[in-house]
Amino acid sequence: MASRVVQARVSDEIREAATAIIKATGLSVSDVVRVVLTRIATEKALPIDFFQPNAETVQAMREAEEGKLTRTTLDGIRAMIRDEGDKQKPARKATRKHA
């Protein structure tokens, strides 16, 4: 079976940190790339563990499980977006036209 070289650009910090962790498992960076690409090809999808929720998402999930959700309508969402936009616009000074 023919093989090809796969290249990726990452910062030195990420490369060094990841390489240290990978080497501690007895694998090489190439081994890990090969395993991940093989898994994706076999499962026809990205591994689910690639998608770890951040702290904000975890908190939202907890609130949903506890029934602490605030429901809204599409108009409510539009109003929230409008309000956010208004907060980001610089305030205009009121001027009076003289007759």
Side-chain angles (χ1 to χ4, degrees):
M1 178 191 297
S3 62
R4 302 219 178 210
V5 173
V6 176
Q7 294 180 324
R9 293 191 182 276
V10 295
S11 71
D12 286 338
E13 283 179 22
I14 290 173
R15 184 184 52 80
E16 290 170 9
T19 300
I21 293 165
I22 291 167
K23 282 187 177 185
T25 67
L27 298 172
S28 69
V29 173
S30 292
D31 292 332
V32 171
V33 170
R34 223 176 351 269
V35 167
V36 170
L37 291 178
T38 300
R39 186 171 168 189
I40 292 168
T42 302
E43 297 176 6
K44 309 249 185 295
L46 291 175
I48 193 73
D49 49 351
F50 274 14
F51 303 103
Q52 295 297 318
N54 63 20
E56 183 179 358
T57 302
V58 170
Q59 181 62 35
M61 290 165 51
R62 281 191 190 120
E63 289 175 7
E65 289 170 353
E66 295 169 3
K68 296 179 180 177
L69 291 179
T70 302
R71 295 186 179 261
T72 189
T73 63
L74 183 55
D75 287 336
I77 293 170
R78 288 180 177 142
M80 286 189 296
I81 292 169
R82 240 186 342 268
D83 290 347
E84 276 300 312
D86 291 344
K87 289 178 188 175
Q88 294 176 4
K89 290 180 186 174
R92 287 197 262 177
K93 293 182 181 178
T95 59
R96 179 184 271 182
K97 291 185 178 182
H98 297 288

